[in-house]
Amino acid sequence: LAYTRDTVIIDTAGRLHINEELMEELKAIKKNVKPHEILLVVDAMTGQDAVGVAESFNKDLGLDGVILTKLDGDARGGAALSIKAVTGCPIKFAGMGEKLDALETFHPDRMASRILGMGDVMSLIEKASSTIDLEQAKEMEKKFRKDDFNLDDFLEQLQQVRKLGPLDQILGMLPGMGNLKKLQDVKIDEKELSRTEAIIRSMTKKERR
């Protein structure tokens, strides 16, 4: 079967706006390729420094949008507001992890909630909807109501939660949790979850029940 591709992405790799030679390269690429869109990838961890970078690139190239990465880390993304104000360019995507499926459409209202420490319930709901089986969840609810929840069910729930992503990231989406100093100091070791799984799997069926 022949597949058609109608999108070409030219990745110019990392470069500093203060390097005039490399910036001239970008101008030459723009002139010859005539791209439909020019997007700048900005590391959210750089904070307000990202604003100067975005301003320089926008001045030299004329940006159509920005992709803000590493928002799954400690950065709250305050730079997003400044970049938008300075360049007038929309933030189009947010990088919430290292894999392709972690590239999400940027939602300004959710970012505002994140900055204010109010969590991001909508993103949490979307994550849950895409990873958790609804019928399975209903069945689990019945077990809770009947007080019939055993370690097999716990293991199943643990695996479902792990599909949502790193636990500290999930907790950060809950309202108020981002402002808790205690939570900020806690480093959740994902290896402990694997250890818990291993312990349950080593039990007999009778022990699990």
Side-chain angles (χ1 to χ4, degrees), residues 5 31 43 50 52 56 64 75 83 96 106 110-111 115 122 135-136 148 155 160 162 172 175 184-185 196 205:
R5 298 285 184 267
K31 182 180 178 182
D43 184 339
S56 295
D64 296 297
I83 290 171
M96 304 301 293
F106 181 80
R110 299 182 194 181
M111 181 54 64
I115 293 168
M122 286 307 298
E135 291 305 315
Q136 208 173 22
D148 186 28
L155 181 62
Q160 291 277 7
R162 293 190 76 178
Q184 291 168 10
D185 292 338
T196 302
K205 288 185 178 180

Side-chain angles (χ1 to χ4, degrees), residues 126-138:
E126 284 177 5
K127 275 180 176 286
S129 299
S130 63
T131 57
I132 294 174
D133 186 291
L134 186 59
E135 291 305 315
Q136 208 173 22
K138 286 180 180 178

